[in-house]
Amino acid sequence: MNLHFQTTGDELRNMSTYNTIFYDNFSEEEKLILGPHFSNLDRPVFAIVTPAQVDRGALMSRYSRTDKTMRRVFLDEFAKNPKRAGEFYEKVLLEYGDDSVAELGDAQIAIEWVSNIAAKKIEDHRIGLSYLEKSSRYVAFGQKIKGQYKYFKEERIMASPHADLYVQACDHAFDIYAKNLLPMQKFIAELEPIDKFLFFDSLSKSEVAYSDL
C-alpha cells in the first residue's frame, strides 16, 4: 500500500518534537512482545503486522474505543489473552450488531498523535482507503500526560514570539474543560437518567433498562 499525504506537510513528516512527550516508553520486555506485531516501536506512524487477520481487525476496533495508544492496548489486552480478538468480535459484531468492524481485516497503518486538523486532512483522501478514527468521546482531554494537555504544539508556532500566549490560551481552555467535565456529566445524568432509556439486550432479545443489562 502506497500512502501519499500531500496536504499534511511537516506535521506528519517531522512530528513536532514538542509532542514526543506523549509517545509510549516501552520496557525491554514489552519491546520483545511488541516486535513481531508492529513495524516499529518508537514512532507514531506504523504498520500493524501481527500475523492473524482477526487480531488486526479487533485491535483496530478496540483501539477506537479506548484512550490508550494502540500498542499499549495490544500489551494490556491482546498479548495477555490469545482469545481476545474472538471475544471482541463476538460481543461487538454478534451481540451489538456493529458490522463496521467487519471491514477492518485488511492491511492497517496507524497514525497517532496528530492534530484533529491533520486527521481530517488525511481522511479527505478516501480513494482506495478506509479510515477508522479514535472516537473523541473515549479521549480524556481533561487529563494531562507528563504535565501537559493533549493539544498539538506546531513547530512554527512554538518558535514564534506567540509561543507563550499560545500555550497559555490552550492551557486555559483545557483547564476550563477539565473543571466543568464532571459537573456537566452530573447535570446531564440528573436531567436525563440513563434508566429512562431502553436498550436492546442481545441475550433476552428484548428492550430493558440499563440497570437490568
Side-chain angles (χ1 to χ4, degrees), residues 135-149:
S135 177
S136 59
R137 69 182 181 272
Y138 295 104
V139 179
F141 288 108
Q143 295 180 2
K144 295 181 178 181
I145 296 179
K146 299 178 182 177
Q148 293 193 26
Y149 285 121

Side-chain angles (χ1 to χ4, degrees), residues 180-194 196-197:
N180 289 281
L181 181 59
L182 291 180
M184 179 58 72
Q185 290 176 335
K186 183 175 182 293
F187 171 74
I188 294 175
E190 293 172 351
L191 184 66
E192 298 285 352
I194 195 169
K196 282 179 52 179
F197 303 95

Side-chain angles (χ1 to χ4, degrees), residues 27-47:
S27 67
E28 292 304 314
E29 181 181 358
E30 290 173 333
K31 290 178 181 178
L32 289 175
I33 296 172
L34 291 169
H37 303 280
F38 300 94
S39 61
N40 69 72
L41 306 180
D42 58 352
R43 295 190 294 277
V45 180
F46 53 91

Side-chain angles (χ1 to χ4, degrees), residues 58 61-62 65 84-93 101:
S61 185
R62 177 69 184 106
R65 294 166 167 84
R84 181 68 178 102
E87 295 170 352
F88 184 82
Y89 269 116
E90 182 176 350
K91 179 178 292 291
V92 175
L93 182 59
V101 300

